Structure formats: structure tokens, C-alpha cells
Amino acid sequence: MNLSKQQTFSRRSFLKTSALASGGMLISFNLFTACKSDVKPPVDISQLNFNDFNAFIKISDEGKVTIFSPNPEIGQGVKTSMPMLIAEELDVPWEDVYVQQAVLDTENYTRQLAGGSQSIRLGWEPLRQTGATAKQMLVNAAAAKWGISPSECKASQGIITNPKGETLGYGDVVKEAALLDVPGEVTLKDPKDFTIVGKNTSNVDIDKIITGKPLFGLDYKEEGMVYASVLRPPAFGQILESFDDTAARALSGVIDVIVIGEKARIHLEGEKKNWTAQLSKSDKVVVIAKTTWDAIKGKKAIKAVWKNDSELESTESHDKILLDLLNGEKFDTRRKDGNVKKAFANADKILERVYESPFLPHNCMEPMNFFANITPEKVHLVGPIQSPEDAAKVVSDMLDRKLEDIHIEMTRIGGGFGRRLYGDFIYETAEIANKIKKPVKMVSTREDDMTTGIYRPAIKYKIAASIKDGKLTGYHLKEAAVNINMYGLIPNFFPAAALENYQVDTANYKSNITTGAWRAPYTNFLASAEQSFFDELAELLEVDRVQMHLDLLENVKSNPEPNIEYSPERLQGVIKLVVDKSNWGKTGPDVYQGFSVYYCHNTHVAEVADITMENGNPVIKKVTCAVDCGIVVNPLGALNQVRGGIIDGIGHSMYGELTFNNGVPQSNNFNSFQLIRMGQTPPEIDVHFVENDIAPTGLGEPTLPPVGAAVANAIYKATGKRLTKQPYINNMDLEKVVG
Amino acid sequence: MATFNLKINNKKHTVEADADTPLLWVLRDHIDLVGTKYGCGIGQCGACTVHVDGNAMRSCLLPVSQAEDMSITTIEGLSEDGNHPVQQAWKEIDVPQCGYCQSGQIMTASAFLNQNSNPTNSEIRDAMHGNICRCASYNSIEKAVKVAADKIS
């Protein structure tokens, strides 16, 4: 959508204003009702209270503005960028804005969630509309005071001016404004008039972060709080048989040892089973202690006996099963254009390759933890969660409590990456608190976190292309995944619609290992596979790999197809930009370049990796990245997201791997799982944003997927070796350095 | 359980804890200094880095029984108002993403610059290699250390 022209909005059912007893005005809005034009207010607007809205603006008598940011902050920067959108249209100096995390509204709304890089895309219009509405009400109040028409007033930077040059601050008119009707229609700014959007804006929590103030779930405390450490089955497929807690109880810091699991099973076996409840059905032993260390020590002292409940799976068997699926016939066809079978039968050349990826843990720096205090009046939960709304529903079902009794507060989150979409740690904590009737903090150790995760599952792809008379005639992608296959939009990503004969098939194997979303689900490896394949394909066709992509996208432009997700023009745009900025093909003989382009999460990205060989080893010197995410709301935050995604992508495609033996994860801490570190980070990540006025899309995920192939393609140029199996380090005859 | 006398951020603290309790958990649970973070518990990630007699140390590996008679500085005590050159550089560059590892990064960088206020790029990379940032803010960390070095020298 082009926003170069001013737009007007008339949806106001998501807004309500009220005068504050303490002075000032509170504008309450329901962000996610506002996103959907057809949603009716859940209750009579006049009856709404604090709990019915999930975001607020408070304007004090002094003109200071507090914006309550609705979505969980996991490091993606929305606690800064979402309030920026409100402040822009409210037209106040950013220095006068204070941002605070809002609590969860448990009852009526959807998508108070961090996931899928969607917060900015979905918040773009409603957040600006909210700011503009508040500004209009302040102007209306000032105009009434002066006895003139609002259209004669101007408002900017928190000050309203009349034709005589007299001024009133926002704070001077908030009391009157709060009593006015919400205007039916407001005008949004032309992007060229933006003063906050598009400006480098520091993380709103920066001062607290650099001085070590309590911010994260692990930092939250309440009077009388005890600590809990949970002993879970050591292997997927095992459940608790018996345990001896004598030694644990003898420790001075241990208060109690309890068993949980019953409430989790009630939910797992019930009708309201929620997708966030990835829980073991086993009983678990919980040590309640005076401090975290006492709880950890107590857990180590428990002697537990486990019994096998289902198959104990291993990586070796996963590999065989997934390859057998790829070579078999049992597929669901997810998209089919033309006739791939015929194209392959008529081909004079076929290229077919298999690409393989391992399980990955999320390894958020802040290990899973949560606080709970359960009383007859309420269920109070505090901590890091990406999906608070679903968590509230599950806790309500598990504990048979009314949904309105469940109060969730979101802390700043020490990394999400998808892990905290799943609420297993909240559900355990709620069950513990329900049993011990005390405020309690459950803390996972790093070992707990890595070995009882909700992993990125192992996935393998077989990609085949048919060539006739030197031309690409067909493309057939097959996926074999553990547990769940690619989501429904992916078959419509590039190269869908670029080829007459195109087919995407999927097959899966149900494992007892818990799996889920991991930063850029599916595409985080699929892009590596497809863009490595295209590199090899271009070589076989003896065409320039960049030109091949531009030509394929030209096909899409000349045969418009409504069911594709990406824009061929925008993909061509990022390709041309990255070619220009990376000096593609013009570097010296010692620099080997790899190219990759991908669309996902509504954002278009192209990347070029530069590699040199040092002592026989490839070293990544630079990654050039071109991004089209529309308007860049906060360039400083955007740069952090783009760079972080690229380095995360390099790290996991090069080094990341979690294997299983008889159901037991074979890495349990950072001495046996290699995360990328400073020394392996390319010294330069050169980022270029396409400049346009298109409504913005997210950046938390889309720069990660393409980089694996950019690196693999550069390594191929440098070494002549095609890398098809991640982690690449295992196939490079290099020593794996861990820690 | 025993009694230990600690000197943290120039203040004396007396704590009752098991002798094997890592300084990390004494700071966090006993003294309410939660800026020092738990990341791995085995000295691999650097999130728990504090200064002990001026040197960067992993507080998860230092038992409280060995921390007596030492001068311990945590992120909360690095400066009065967050105005240490390293903190200021972190703010100028806007280093943090999730922010969880950053107090450990800042403590490592400040101890390093204390010993080498004019480091080369590769010295900075070596010094910071032991601190994991899962959001991968490494380029910004590298730049912020350089900015801090300029402020100090």
C-alpha cells in the first residue's frame, strides 16, 4: 500500500478516553481490535475498564506522555518502535515520552504476541491512528478554549498554536480534551512530514540495561518468594517411575520436595489443548528452596528412576527415516503448477540435490523461568513470555480458574527466537504455585534449558530441476520434516510462479521430541537449500546466477499471479542494490563471493558474503545486505535486527547442531554446543535499505534465512566444495572448536 | 551454612550461605544485585562477569567462601550514574538488543580497557570472545569498545 498520500480513518471503536483523578488524560486503545476492520467491540465501550484495553497513552498536566507498549519485547525492538509510531502522530518531542510495558488483557483480544515479525506491520496504521486521534482531541479542546474552529489551530511538538500566535501546551488542555467525544475521522501525516519515524532512536530501556537494573523475568522478586528447580525426564520417551528425595531434604536450604504433572495432563488430555502446551506427560520432581542455588543443589541430590514410555529416538534413525520419506511416495502436494512429471520426463538434463539440517535449541541467554503466586482471588504470573494470551487460557484450563482471574505481566525478555511462544515453563510454575500456596520463582538451569527444549526440528529437502534445450523447465521441492511441515504461505514464496511447472510436496515423521518455531521457522533452512541449489543450477546452465534470478522474476512480472506472497519488483530491487553495493564480481582474486536472495515475513532481502582463505580455512570477511522492508521506522534498531539476523544465521548454519542418542540430547551447555562468538563474526556487515514510502514490514527474522546460502556459495567458489548439510563445519575438514 | 563478609561496590555485606554457593547467586538472591546475570553456570558465556580486585571474573565459578577479603565490583557499582566511559559508549552505539548479556559484556570490556586503553581491533576481538551475545550484537560491541577506548585515552 502506498502511503505517499494522506489517509483518513474513521474506525474509532477501539479508542476510549478518560480524565484521570490525578490530573491528565488516559487514552485507552485496543491495538489488535483496531487491526481488524470487521471486529466489533466485545462489550459496551462506555463500560470498558483498564483490563479491556491492551495499550494506553497517558498525558499528564505537565504535557509528559507515557505510552504503554502492548507487545512482548524479546530484543526485536518493538518497545521502542511501536511507541514511536504513536508519538509521531501525537506530535510530541520523543524526549517527553516515557515507555512502559503494558500487561496482558486476558479476555477479549488476539495477537498481543511477539512472533512472525508482525508487530510493526500490523501496528503501523492503528498505532498512528491512535496518536492522531489524541492530537485531534487536544486541538479540539484548545480551539474551544479560544472560541475558534479547530481547523484554525496548528499542533506540533506538544504545542497548539492559534492564528494570533498564542500557544497552549498539550498539558494545558488535557482535562478538557478527556471529556470530549472521540473524533470520527482523523488525518494521518504524509511520510515526508515525519519527525520521529525514520530517525535513529535508542532502545528505551538502554539506561536500565547498562546499569544493571531489574528488567528481566529472572530479576523479578516478591516478598516471601521461594525458588523451584524442576527435575524433568532425561530422555524424550521416558517418564518418572520413582524417586528418593532423602538426600535433597537433608540440605539446609531445601524447603520441600513435591511432584507435579497431574494438572498438565488434565490440559493435555482435555478438549482445550492449546498449541503452546508442549509438555511432557511425565510427573516431575520439584525442589522448593530458599535460594536458586539451594534449589539447583537439591535437584542434583534427587535420585530418580525413569522408565521408557515410548521409543527412545536417535539422530541416526531420524536421518534414515527422513531420507526414506524423501525417496518415497507418501507426500501431501502443497502447490502444483503445470506438470512437473512431464517436464522431468522430457528433460535432457536433471539436477537433483538433497539438503539436510539438524535439530537446534533456541539457547536464549535468559534461561526459561517464571514467577507465580496463586491465591483464592487471583493467579498472578510474571515473566518472559512471547504468547501471554494463550498462556492465560492454558493456566485457566489447567487450574480450573476463571480466565479473568489470570493476570500476566510481561517482563523484558532475554531472547525469544520462538522458544517463549511455548509456555511449558509457565504451566509448570503455575502447577507448583498452586500446590505450595506461596509466591515462587521457577528457574531452569542452562542444562535444563538445552535438554528439555522445544527444538527447531530436523528437516531435509530434495530439490530437483529439469532442463530442456538449455532452459529451466521444471522445479520440484520435496520436504521431509520431523513433526510438522512448512506453513501454508511458503509454497507461494519465490520461485513460485516463476516457472510453468512447479510443485511443492511435504511429508513428515511424528517424533516424541518436542519441536516448534525457531527464528524464521522453516525458511531458516529452506532458503539455504534453495539458494544453494540455484547457485549450482546457474553453473550447470552456464548462466550468471544474478541474471538468472532477475530473468525468473521477469517471468513472474509478465504472468501476474495473485497467489504469490512476494513482489517480483521488490525482489529485483534488492538484487540490484546488493549487486551494486557489494561490488559483485568486481572484487580482487583473493575474495570469493556468494550470492543469495529470499523473501519471507513480508520482507525482501538479498545478501552477498565475501570470503577469503587464511591458512587453508575460509574466513567470512564481509556480508553485504540489501533489505526492502518499506519505511524504516527506527534505523538504529533496524540495523541491529538486520545484523543480528545475519550473524545468527551464519552461526547456526556453520556450527549449530543438537543430536540425540536414545532420546537424550547430546549437548547440554555452551561447552558442547557452539554458538557464534565475536572472533567468528564478520568484521563488516554492510546494510542498505531500499528507500520507499511503502508501509513497513518486520525485521526480526527475514535477514537470517538467506545468509546460509550466501556463505555456502562463497565457500564453494573458494574451495570447490558444495555444502548441503548443516552444520557446514562438519563437512569442511575443519576442527570444531567449542566454547 | 556459614557467615561470609563481602566487600561489594565499596560496601560491606554479611551473608549466610553454603560455602559452595557461587558468588553469582549470592549477588542475585542474597544481596539483590540482579544486574549480574546467570547464563550457563560453567564459565562459558560471560553473562555473570564481575570485577574482582579489578580483574574480570566469572562470578558463577567463584564460591562465596573464596570471595572474602576481595574487592568486588558489579555492574551496579561500575559508576555512580551509568557514566563510565564503557556504559556511555554502549549507549551511544545503542548496542543492546534483548540486553540480557550486556552487563557481562560491559564488565569484561571495562576491565580489559583498564589494562589496555589503546587496543587494536584484534585485541578487542580476543578480549570479548568469551562473552556470548545470542542476539549477535558483536559488531556493535566491537565498535562500542573502540569508542570507550577513545573516551578513556
Side-chain angles (χ1 to χ4, degrees), chain A residues 277-321:
Chain A
Q278 292 266 25
L279 283 157
S280 162
K281 64 180 179 182
S282 174
D283 276 339
K284 295 158 193 173
V285 185
V286 184
V287 175
I288 311 295
K290 290 176 188 166
T291 68
T292 313
W293 182 246
D294 290 326
I296 292 170
K297 267 174 78 174
K299 184 171 69 169
K300 281 187 185 148
I302 301 280
K303 293 186 185 73
V305 178
W306 309 93
K307 63 181 176 189
N308 296 351
D309 178 60
S310 56
E311 193 189 342
L312 304 184
E313 301 174 17
S314 296
T315 296
E316 209 177 318
S317 59
H318 287 155
D319 280 345
K320 185 177 181 313
I321 289 164

Short mmCIF file of all heavy atoms in Angstrom, two decimals, chain A residues 277-321:
data_model
loop_
_atom_site.label_atom_id
_atom_site.label_comp_id
_atom_site.label_asym_id
_atom_site.label_seq_id
_atom_site.Cartn_x
_atom_site.Cartn_y
_atom_site.Cartn_z
N ALA A 277 1.10 -25.55 24.59
CA ALA A 277 1.32 -26.53 25.66
C ALA A 277 2.11 -27.72 25.13
O ALA A 277 1.56 -28.79 24.87
CB ALA A 277 -0.01 -26.96 26.26
N GLN A 278 3.41 -27.51 24.92
CA GLN A 278 4.30 -28.60 24.50
C GLN A 278 4.92 -29.16 25.78
O GLN A 278 6.01 -28.79 26.16
CB GLN A 278 5.40 -28.06 23.58
CG GLN A 278 4.90 -27.59 22.24
CD GLN A 278 5.02 -28.69 21.20
OE1 GLN A 278 5.04 -29.87 21.54
NE2 GLN A 278 5.09 -28.31 19.95
N LEU A 279 4.17 -30.03 26.43
CA LEU A 279 4.59 -30.50 27.75
C LEU A 279 4.76 -32.00 27.78
O LEU A 279 4.01 -32.74 27.14
CB LEU A 279 3.49 -30.15 28.78
CG LEU A 279 3.39 -28.71 29.26
CD1 LEU A 279 2.00 -28.43 29.77
CD2 LEU A 279 4.41 -28.47 30.36
N SER A 280 5.73 -32.45 28.56
CA SER A 280 5.88 -33.88 28.79
C SER A 280 4.72 -34.35 29.67
O SER A 280 4.27 -33.62 30.55
CB SER A 280 7.20 -34.14 29.51
OG SER A 280 7.18 -35.42 30.11
N LYS A 281 4.22 -35.55 29.42
CA LYS A 281 3.13 -36.04 30.27
C LYS A 281 3.65 -36.69 31.55
O LYS A 281 2.88 -37.12 32.41
CB LYS A 281 2.24 -37.00 29.50
CG LYS A 281 2.94 -38.27 29.06
CD LYS A 281 1.97 -39.15 28.29
CE LYS A 281 2.66 -40.41 27.83
NZ LYS A 281 1.81 -41.28 27.05
N SER A 282 4.97 -36.75 31.68
CA SER A 282 5.58 -37.36 32.86
C SER A 282 5.33 -36.53 34.12
O SER A 282 5.22 -35.32 34.06
CB SER A 282 7.08 -37.49 32.65
OG SER A 282 7.72 -37.97 33.82
N ASP A 283 5.31 -37.20 35.26
CA ASP A 283 5.43 -36.49 36.52
C ASP A 283 6.83 -35.89 36.60
O ASP A 283 7.78 -36.43 36.02
CB ASP A 283 5.26 -37.46 37.70
CG ASP A 283 3.78 -37.68 38.03
OD1 ASP A 283 2.96 -36.82 37.64
OD2 ASP A 283 3.46 -38.70 38.66
N LYS A 284 6.94 -34.79 37.33
CA LYS A 284 8.25 -34.15 37.50
C LYS A 284 8.47 -33.89 38.98
O LYS A 284 7.52 -33.55 39.70
CB LYS A 284 8.30 -32.83 36.73
CG LYS A 284 8.19 -33.03 35.22
CD LYS A 284 7.72 -31.77 34.54
CE LYS A 284 7.32 -32.07 33.11
NZ LYS A 284 6.70 -30.91 32.47
N VAL A 285 9.73 -34.02 39.41
CA VAL A 285 10.05 -33.79 40.81
C VAL A 285 10.52 -32.34 40.95
O VAL A 285 11.36 -31.89 40.18
CB VAL A 285 11.17 -34.75 41.28
CG1 VAL A 285 11.42 -34.57 42.78
CG2 VAL A 285 10.82 -36.18 40.96
N VAL A 286 9.94 -31.63 41.92
CA VAL A 286 10.29 -30.21 42.07
C VAL A 286 10.86 -29.96 43.46
O VAL A 286 10.25 -30.33 44.46
CB VAL A 286 9.04 -29.32 41.88
CG1 VAL A 286 9.43 -27.84 41.94
CG2 VAL A 286 8.33 -29.64 40.57
N VAL A 287 12.03 -29.36 43.48
CA VAL A 287 12.65 -28.99 44.76
C VAL A 287 12.32 -27.53 45.04
O VAL A 287 12.59 -26.65 44.21
CB VAL A 287 14.17 -29.21 44.71
CG1 VAL A 287 14.83 -28.70 46.00
CG2 VAL A 287 14.49 -30.68 44.49
N ILE A 288 11.73 -27.28 46.20
CA ILE A 288 11.41 -25.91 46.63
C ILE A 288 12.47 -25.51 47.65
O ILE A 288 12.72 -26.25 48.61
CB ILE A 288 10.01 -25.85 47.31
CG1 ILE A 288 8.95 -26.55 46.45
CG2 ILE A 288 9.64 -24.41 47.65
CD1 ILE A 288 8.66 -25.91 45.13
N ALA A 289 13.10 -24.36 47.40
CA ALA A 289 14.23 -24.00 48.26
C ALA A 289 14.26 -22.51 48.54
O ALA A 289 13.51 -21.73 47.95
CB ALA A 289 15.53 -24.46 47.60
N LYS A 290 15.20 -22.14 49.44
CA LYS A 290 15.28 -20.74 49.88
C LYS A 290 15.92 -19.84 48.83
O LYS A 290 15.62 -18.66 48.75
CB LYS A 290 16.09 -20.65 51.17
CG LYS A 290 15.39 -21.26 52.38
CD LYS A 290 16.33 -21.21 53.59
CE LYS A 290 15.72 -21.98 54.76
NZ LYS A 290 16.72 -22.24 55.80
N THR A 291 16.87 -20.41 48.07
CA THR A 291 17.54 -19.62 47.02
C THR A 291 17.65 -20.48 45.75
O THR A 291 17.42 -21.69 45.79
CB THR A 291 18.98 -19.21 47.43
OG1 THR A 291 19.77 -20.41 47.48
CG2 THR A 291 19.02 -18.51 48.78
N THR A 292 18.04 -19.82 44.65
CA THR A 292 18.20 -20.56 43.40
C THR A 292 19.24 -21.67 43.55
O THR A 292 19.03 -22.79 43.10
CB THR A 292 18.66 -19.59 42.28
OG1 THR A 292 17.85 -18.42 42.32
CG2 THR A 292 18.54 -20.25 40.92
N TRP A 293 20.37 -21.33 44.19
CA TRP A 293 21.45 -22.31 44.34
C TRP A 293 20.99 -23.49 45.20
O TRP A 293 21.29 -24.65 44.88
CB TRP A 293 22.69 -21.64 44.96
CG TRP A 293 23.85 -22.56 45.11
CD1 TRP A 293 24.42 -22.98 46.26
CD2 TRP A 293 24.58 -23.18 44.05
NE1 TRP A 293 25.46 -23.83 46.01
CE2 TRP A 293 25.59 -23.98 44.65
CE3 TRP A 293 24.49 -23.17 42.66
CZ2 TRP A 293 26.49 -24.74 43.89
CZ3 TRP A 293 25.39 -23.92 41.91
CH2 TRP A 293 26.38 -24.69 42.53
N ASP A 294 20.23 -23.21 46.26
CA ASP A 294 19.70 -24.30 47.09
C ASP A 294 18.80 -25.21 46.26
O ASP A 294 18.81 -26.44 46.42
CB ASP A 294 18.88 -23.73 48.26
CG ASP A 294 19.76 -23.01 49.29
OD1 ASP A 294 20.90 -23.45 49.50
OD2 ASP A 294 19.28 -22.02 49.87
N ALA A 295 18.01 -24.61 45.38
CA ALA A 295 17.10 -25.42 44.56
C ALA A 295 17.87 -26.28 43.56
O ALA A 295 17.56 -27.45 43.34
CB ALA A 295 16.12 -24.50 43.82
N ILE A 296 18.92 -25.68 42.96
CA ILE A 296 19.73 -26.43 41.99
C ILE A 296 20.45 -27.59 42.69
O ILE A 296 20.48 -28.72 42.20
CB ILE A 296 20.76 -25.48 41.31
CG1 ILE A 296 20.03 -24.47 40.41
CG2 ILE A 296 21.78 -26.28 40.49
CD1 ILE A 296 20.94 -23.35 39.88
N LYS A 297 21.01 -27.30 43.87
CA LYS A 297 21.70 -28.35 44.63
C LYS A 297 20.73 -29.47 45.03
O LYS A 297 21.04 -30.65 44.96
CB LYS A 297 22.33 -27.76 45.89
CG LYS A 297 23.76 -27.34 45.69
CD LYS A 297 24.30 -26.62 46.91
CE LYS A 297 24.69 -27.54 48.04
NZ LYS A 297 25.34 -26.78 49.14
N GLY A 298 19.54 -29.03 45.46
CA GLY A 298 18.54 -30.01 45.89
C GLY A 298 18.15 -30.93 44.74
O GLY A 298 18.00 -32.15 44.91
N LYS A 299 18.01 -30.35 43.58
CA LYS A 299 17.62 -31.17 42.42
C LYS A 299 18.70 -32.20 42.10
O LYS A 299 18.40 -33.35 41.78
CB LYS A 299 17.36 -30.28 41.20
CG LYS A 299 16.86 -31.08 40.01
CD LYS A 299 16.40 -30.23 38.87
CE LYS A 299 17.58 -29.55 38.23
NZ LYS A 299 17.21 -28.93 36.96
N LYS A 300 19.95 -31.78 42.20
CA LYS A 300 21.05 -32.72 41.92
C LYS A 300 21.05 -33.89 42.91
O LYS A 300 21.56 -34.98 42.61
CB LYS A 300 22.40 -32.00 41.98
CG LYS A 300 22.70 -31.20 40.71
CD LYS A 300 24.11 -30.64 40.75
CE LYS A 300 24.35 -29.75 39.53
NZ LYS A 300 25.27 -28.65 39.81
N ALA A 301 20.51 -33.64 44.10
CA ALA A 301 20.53 -34.68 45.14
C ALA A 301 19.36 -35.67 45.02
O ALA A 301 19.30 -36.66 45.76
CB ALA A 301 20.51 -34.02 46.52
N ILE A 302 18.44 -35.40 44.12
CA ILE A 302 17.31 -36.33 43.93
C ILE A 302 17.78 -37.57 43.17
O ILE A 302 18.45 -37.44 42.15
CB ILE A 302 16.16 -35.66 43.12
CG1 ILE A 302 15.65 -34.39 43.81
CG2 ILE A 302 15.04 -36.65 42.80
CD1 ILE A 302 14.70 -34.63 44.94
N LYS A 303 17.42 -38.73 43.67
CA LYS A 303 17.73 -39.96 42.91
C LYS A 303 16.43 -40.43 42.28
O LYS A 303 15.52 -40.89 42.96
CB LYS A 303 18.28 -41.04 43.86
CG LYS A 303 19.64 -40.68 44.44
CD LYS A 303 20.21 -41.83 45.26
CE LYS A 303 21.51 -41.43 45.93
NZ LYS A 303 21.28 -40.49 47.08
N ALA A 304 16.36 -40.30 40.95
CA ALA A 304 15.12 -40.65 40.26
C ALA A 304 15.31 -41.87 39.38
O ALA A 304 16.40 -42.11 38.86
CB ALA A 304 14.65 -39.47 39.41
N VAL A 305 14.23 -42.65 39.25
CA VAL A 305 14.24 -43.79 38.34
C VAL A 305 13.24 -43.49 37.23
O VAL A 305 12.10 -43.11 37.50
CB VAL A 305 13.85 -45.09 39.09
CG1 VAL A 305 13.81 -46.27 38.12
CG2 VAL A 305 14.83 -45.36 40.23
N TRP A 306 13.68 -43.66 36.00
CA TRP A 306 12.83 -43.34 34.85
C TRP A 306 12.50 -44.61 34.09
O TRP A 306 13.29 -45.54 34.06
CB TRP A 306 13.55 -42.35 33.92
CG TRP A 306 14.07 -41.15 34.65
CD1 TRP A 306 15.32 -40.98 35.17
CD2 TRP A 306 13.34 -39.95 34.96
NE1 TRP A 306 15.43 -39.74 35.79
CE2 TRP A 306 14.23 -39.10 35.68
CE3 TRP A 306 12.03 -39.52 34.71
CZ2 TRP A 306 13.84 -37.84 36.15
CZ3 TRP A 306 11.65 -38.26 35.17
CH2 TRP A 306 12.55 -37.43 35.88
N LYS A 307 11.34 -44.66 33.51
CA LYS A 307 11.01 -45.83 32.70
C LYS A 307 10.63 -45.39 31.28
O LYS A 307 10.17 -44.27 31.07
CB LYS A 307 9.88 -46.63 33.35
CG LYS A 307 8.56 -45.88 33.45
CD LYS A 307 7.50 -46.74 34.13
CE LYS A 307 6.22 -45.96 34.32
NZ LYS A 307 5.23 -46.65 35.14
N ASN A 308 10.83 -46.32 30.35
CA ASN A 308 10.54 -46.00 28.96
C ASN A 308 9.03 -46.05 28.73
O ASN A 308 8.36 -47.00 29.12
CB ASN A 308 11.24 -46.98 28.01
CG ASN A 308 12.75 -46.84 28.14
OD1 ASN A 308 13.25 -45.92 28.79
ND2 ASN A 308 13.47 -47.75 27.50
N ASP A 309 8.54 -45.01 28.08
CA ASP A 309 7.11 -44.90 27.82
C ASP A 309 6.84 -44.99 26.32
O ASP A 309 5.78 -45.42 25.88
CB ASP A 309 6.62 -43.56 28.38
CG ASP A 309 5.16 -43.33 28.12
OD1 ASP A 309 4.35 -44.15 28.59
OD2 ASP A 309 4.83 -42.33 27.44
N SER A 310 7.79 -44.52 25.53
CA SER A 310 7.70 -44.65 24.08
C SER A 310 9.11 -44.77 23.53
O SER A 310 10.07 -44.77 24.30
CB SER A 310 6.95 -43.46 23.47
OG SER A 310 7.58 -42.24 23.86
N GLU A 311 9.24 -44.83 22.22
CA GLU A 311 10.55 -45.10 21.62
C GLU A 311 11.59 -44.05 22.01
O GLU A 311 11.28 -42.86 22.09
CB GLU A 311 10.40 -45.11 20.09
CG GLU A 311 11.61 -45.69 19.39
CD GLU A 311 11.54 -45.49 17.88
OE1 GLU A 311 10.43 -45.23 17.37
OE2 GLU A 311 12.59 -45.60 17.24
N LEU A 312 12.81 -44.48 22.26
CA LEU A 312 13.91 -43.56 22.52
C LEU A 312 14.61 -43.31 21.19
O LEU A 312 15.28 -44.19 20.66
CB LEU A 312 14.87 -44.14 23.56
CG LEU A 312 14.24 -44.55 24.90
CD1 LEU A 312 15.32 -45.04 25.87
CD2 LEU A 312 13.44 -43.42 25.53
N GLU A 313 14.45 -42.13 20.65
CA GLU A 313 14.89 -41.86 19.28
C GLU A 313 16.33 -41.34 19.22
O GLU A 313 16.82 -40.74 20.17
CB GLU A 313 13.96 -40.83 18.63
CG GLU A 313 12.51 -41.30 18.59
CD GLU A 313 11.56 -40.22 18.09
OE1 GLU A 313 12.03 -39.25 17.47
OE2 GLU A 313 10.35 -40.35 18.32
N SER A 314 16.96 -41.56 18.06
CA SER A 314 18.33 -41.11 17.86
C SER A 314 18.45 -40.40 16.52
O SER A 314 17.66 -40.64 15.61
CB SER A 314 19.29 -42.30 17.89
OG SER A 314 19.27 -42.89 19.17
N THR A 315 19.47 -39.55 16.43
CA THR A 315 19.69 -38.79 15.19
C THR A 315 19.91 -39.72 14.00
O THR A 315 19.42 -39.47 12.91
CB THR A 315 20.90 -37.85 15.39
OG1 THR A 315 20.56 -36.91 16.40
CG2 THR A 315 21.25 -37.10 14.11
N GLU A 316 20.63 -40.80 14.24
CA GLU A 316 20.90 -41.75 13.17
C GLU A 316 19.59 -42.28 12.56
O GLU A 316 19.44 -42.35 11.34
CB GLU A 316 21.69 -42.93 13.76
CG GLU A 316 22.60 -43.61 12.79
CD GLU A 316 23.41 -44.70 13.48
OE1 GLU A 316 23.89 -44.46 14.62
OE2 GLU A 316 23.52 -45.78 12.91
N SER A 317 18.62 -42.62 13.44
CA SER A 317 17.36 -43.13 12.91
C SER A 317 16.54 -42.02 12.25
O SER A 317 15.88 -42.23 11.24
CB SER A 317 16.55 -43.85 13.99
OG SER A 317 16.27 -42.96 15.05
N HIS A 318 16.62 -40.79 12.80
CA HIS A 318 15.93 -39.66 12.15
C HIS A 318 16.44 -39.47 10.73
O HIS A 318 15.67 -39.28 9.79
CB HIS A 318 16.18 -38.35 12.91
CG HIS A 318 15.45 -38.27 14.22
ND1 HIS A 318 15.90 -37.49 15.25
CD2 HIS A 318 14.32 -38.86 14.67
CE1 HIS A 318 15.07 -37.60 16.28
NE2 HIS A 318 14.11 -38.43 15.95
N ASP A 319 17.77 -39.52 10.58
CA ASP A 319 18.37 -39.32 9.25
C ASP A 319 17.83 -40.33 8.25
O ASP A 319 17.45 -40.00 7.13
CB ASP A 319 19.91 -39.44 9.33
CG ASP A 319 20.54 -38.16 9.86
OD1 ASP A 319 19.85 -37.12 9.89
OD2 ASP A 319 21.72 -38.20 10.25
N LYS A 320 17.78 -41.58 8.69
CA LYS A 320 17.33 -42.64 7.78
C LYS A 320 15.84 -42.46 7.44
O LYS A 320 15.43 -42.54 6.28
CB LYS A 320 17.57 -44.01 8.43
CG LYS A 320 17.23 -45.15 7.52
CD LYS A 320 17.53 -46.52 8.13
CE LYS A 320 17.19 -47.64 7.17
NZ LYS A 320 15.88 -47.52 6.51
N ILE A 321 15.05 -42.17 8.48
CA ILE A 321 13.60 -42.03 8.27
C ILE A 321 13.30 -40.87 7.31
O ILE A 321 12.50 -41.00 6.39
CB ILE A 321 12.90 -41.78 9.64
CG1 ILE A 321 12.91 -43.07 10.46
CG2 ILE A 321 11.47 -41.28 9.44
CD1 ILE A 321 12.60 -42.86 11.95
#
